[in-house]
Amino acid sequence: MAAPARRMRGAAAALTLGALLASSLTTLATAPAANAAESLLSQGKTATASSQEGEAFPAAAAVDGNLTGTRWASQWSDAQWFQVDLGASKDLSRVVLTWEGAYGKNYEIQVSDNGTDWRTAKTVTGSDGGTDDLAISGSGRYVRMNGLARSSGYGYSLWEFQVYGENGDTKPPQGAVRVAGSQGNWQLTVGGQPYTVKGLTWGPAIADAPKYMPDLKSMGVNTIRTWGTDGSTKPLLDTAAAHGIRVVNGFWLQPGGGPGAGGCVNYVTDTTYKNTMLTEFAKWVDTYKSHPATLMWNVGNESVLGLQNCYGGTELENQRNAYTSFVNDVAKKIHSIDPDHPVTSTDAWTGAWPYYKRNAPDLDLYSMNAYGDICGVRQDWIDGGYNKPYIITETGNAGEWEVPNDVNGVPDEPTDVQKAEGYTKAWDCITGHRGVALGATMFHYGIEHDFGGVWFNLLPDGLKRLSYYAVKKAYTGSTTGDNTPPVITNMTVSPASQAPAGSEFTVRADIRDPENDPLTHRIFLSGNYANGDKRLIEAKWRSTGNGTFAVTAPEKLGVWKVYIRSEDGRGNAGIETKSVKVVAPPVTGTNHALNKPTTASSAQASYGGCPCPASNATDGNTGTRWASDWSDPQWIRVDLGAPTPVRKLQLVWDPAYAKSYEVQVSDDGTTWRTIHTTTTGNGDIDTIDVSATARHVRLNLTARGTGWGYSLYEFGVYS
């Protein structure tokens, strides 16, 4: 194609030699200078583009080092791109675009590990051409300029596209890991070089490590933490090492996980268990002690606290002393096999540290899981007079156990904004304890999209949240250029405490996107507080405009969590949640069974909040229930006191429901006739239309829906 007049392609041919030299000197003087630690990674590498204006303007011309002599130019349309293959994954710091007169007004700098899946490292709007010097972070093999809008009717044209970063020749420090320094002035070192743990706990499957490890690296993460180490661990360690990331290798001990979790071993008397664990741990220490990803060994998780699930009083104290003494035995064994990596042990409260101080002198440092009260750890360490540093092995936003209850009596989950602030606060408090707190593996690089996943994960369902970017900013110092998630505020549910089962209730929120990306909304429900089911199930809902949604309530009673999830199409999501209390739908007419004599074939005397007599099913209180023995068949009946017209029954089931049952009526309590039968009960509220006149009404329960018995919160009989 003939060159447009405005392009100065032919002008250079008329320059004198002196003018050419002057031009070259000017170009060299104004070219962006690399930082001392940077290398130019792109020059001479393979470059491709969506199109080129002609043979004279190939993609390779933009990476040949000739800043004003050769260039790439695209066809004259939008949605064009230019990319360079660096040959291997590199840590990136800057991209410099030297535009010709036909420049990109709006464009993205994107990074990929495989040339197929791209993530946006920087978004530019309103560029005025010339030279765009853009700071980016993270790592990748491919770097692309994705053109969104041209500045003129011509295409996109680049004199040079320069990518800067680490050239890969300088590997992360290797060598022995030490806790160096002295009281109150410690630091972790790797190969003699200072090392601050900037970490996350690891959640995805080990098989997915190649997919997620580059993302961790882009966040500034240098460490991940695991809870167990065995023969399956090697691929995770290999992938971590390939990305310059180290691993806190965990070993699990009963009763791990703190309150409500994990097994009850007797550390005073069970030498078989202790010897088995000691042998097992020693095996894997010997296996992975020389692996370049290994940072340290972590023995146990929240077991000092968790022992309260198994013991009390003096025996609890004996067990805690025995447990921490065993941890010391493990530490000594690990040191005898691997003197080049520290040993620590994690617990859930600083109240565990006196036991470690007394019984585990061979630990090199302590570890602690702390969430909402993270900033109190420093003072506890000072008050305890401890002589070892620590790392925080879990932290983030406040947990269920640390927040006030909401109007429905369940923990009031922090908002996305509050959660992000929680991570920022945590990191500030950790780094504020200089010389003692040696870093953290914050919780949690997880992708589970369930009750706990939404509460704690940085990317549930693979979608990045505000907390993700808060951690990235803490570790890298910046999220400039990142496309950030939608922000949801002022979420309300109405009615919050009286939503009839199966009917619609209203959810409203203010939803905005910082980059004004178009948003897609979804509504989910969790029955965690209603029936223990932590899954998130998409609700039946409809949008009524302006951030308002009509949501159909579940059929099962109890307090449910309702979630708004807004996605921006760029891998980000805002998630907000409130509770809603689902109640039995109102039934018109009089409940003739209310407080009438009620009997049953059996009633559970204990277990699960019982005794649960038959009368609980007709007391008008959905907080009490009747529960039968765990066998078929069973029955429950109510005496209405006199022949009564019966037009509707409402059965409010506990999760222990009837799959098959009959509704029977009688005039004398002896001879029964069946007026309704089902074999497809599902445990939802059953509202049944019938037509009969009788004094006695009975449910003849023939097949349970679970392994438990039958259980009813309410058995209503209406005229």
Side-chain angles (χ1 to χ4, degrees), residues 584-591 647-650 685 687 716-719:
V587 179
T588 58
T590 301
N591 181 5
R647 299 291 177 261
K648 195 180 294 286
L649 271 69
Q650 188 176 78
I685 294 173
T687 303
V717 179
Y718 296 85
S719 63

Side-chain angles (χ1 to χ4, degrees), residues 294-518:
T294 295
L295 181 70
M296 68 178 70
W297 308 100
N298 189 8
V299 183
N301 181 72
E302 301 189 354
S303 295
V304 174
L305 181 63
L307 282 163
Q308 70 185 17
N309 302 323
C310 309
Y311 305 99
T314 302
E315 183 59 25
L316 174 59
E317 287 300 295
N318 293 338
Q319 292 293 331
R320 284 173 168 168
N321 284 315
Y323 167 78
T324 47
S325 295
F326 176 62
V327 167
N328 196 64
D329 292 341
V330 176
K332 286 193 290 187
K333 183 68 173 180
I334 291 175
H335 284 142
S336 71
I337 301 168
D338 177 14
D340 290 331
H341 296 96
V343 183
T344 188
S345 184
T346 285
D347 223 278
W349 61 322
T350 54
W353 284 357
Y355 297 93
Y356 288 115
K357 182 180 180 182
R358 179 167 59 248
N359 302 314
D362 287 274
L363 290 176
D364 298 287
L365 69 165
Y366 300 145
S367 295
M368 170 76 176
N369 295 341
Y371 291 84
D373 193 32
I374 177 66
C375 294
V377 174
R378 176 177 183 170
Q379 191 60 49
D380 288 351
W381 186 89
I382 294 170
D383 293 343
Y386 299 108
N387 59 0
K388 294 182 187 292
Y390 64 88
I391 60 171
I392 297 297
T393 41
E394 292 178 24
T395 192
N397 54 271
E400 284 182 86
W401 59 95
E402 297 175 302
V403 297
N405 287 342
D406 66 11
V407 66
N408 291 319
V410 300
D412 192 5
E413 187 165 342
T415 66
D416 262 11
V417 171
Q418 291 169 332
K419 289 176 181 179
E421 290 171 348
Y423 284 94
T424 301
K425 170 187 171 185
W427 187 242
D428 287 346
C429 290
I430 292 161
T431 55
H433 200 182
R434 295 175 61 86
V436 179
L438 306 183
T441 54
M442 295 204 265
F443 193 86
H444 175 53
Y445 193 88
I447 58 175
E448 297 87 354
H449 185 240
D450 56 12
F451 171 81
V454 169
W455 197 302
F456 290 109
N457 284 351
L458 299 182
L459 55 170
D461 216 12
L463 296 166
K464 298 172 183 176
R465 306 170 70 181
L466 290 175
S467 296
Y468 171 99
Y469 292 96
V471 173
K472 182 175 181 180
K473 185 171 184 179
Y475 289 167
T476 67
S478 174
T479 55
T480 302
D482 285 331
N483 185 290
T484 53
V487 179
I488 306 174
T489 55
N490 301 320
M491 180 179 175
T492 59
V493 175
S494 180
S497 301
Q498 292 289 327
S503 299
E504 287 187 338
F505 61 93
T506 300
V507 175
R508 195 199 168 280
D510 296 324
I511 308 171
R512 64 177 181 86
D513 186 78
E515 292 81 20
N516 295 317
D517 293 321

Side-chain angles (χ1 to χ4, degrees), residues 536-552:
L536 264 61
I537 300 171
E538 189 149 14
K540 181 180 177 181
W541 62 277
R542 57 190 177 88
S543 174
T544 56
N546 297 320
T548 303
F549 309 90
V551 183
T552 301

Side-chain angles (χ1 to χ4, degrees), residues 172 174 213 235-247 291-294:
Q174 298 295 317
M213 210 66 74
L236 179 63
L237 294 173
D238 291 345
T239 307
H243 290 83
I245 293 175
R246 289 182 167 270
V247 181
H291 199 287
T294 295

Side-chain angles (χ1 to χ4, degrees), residues 227-244:
W227 290 268
T229 304
D230 57 23
S232 68
T233 305
K234 187 176 185 299
L236 179 63
L237 294 173
D238 291 345
T239 307
H243 290 83

Side-chain angles (χ1 to χ4, degrees), residues 557-632:
L557 302 193
V559 178
W560 291 71
K561 294 293 291 292
V562 55
Y563 300 79
I564 301 175
R565 191 175 90 183
S566 298
E567 304 171 39
D568 64 0
R570 295 176 177 271
N572 300 311
I575 306 175
E576 212 66 49
T577 180
K578 293 290 182 183
S579 73
V580 60
K581 186 174 183 179
V582 177
V583 299
V587 179
T588 58
T590 301
N591 181 5
H592 294 285
L594 184 63
N595 295 320
K596 295 294 174 63
T598 307
T599 55
S601 53
S602 64
Q604 209 168 100
S606 60
Y607 185 84
C610 290
C612 299
S615 58
N616 281 358
T618 54
D619 63 0
N621 181 359
T622 54
T624 62
R625 64 189 178 95
W626 162 70
S628 78
D629 290 344
W630 296 12
S631 63
D632 293 319

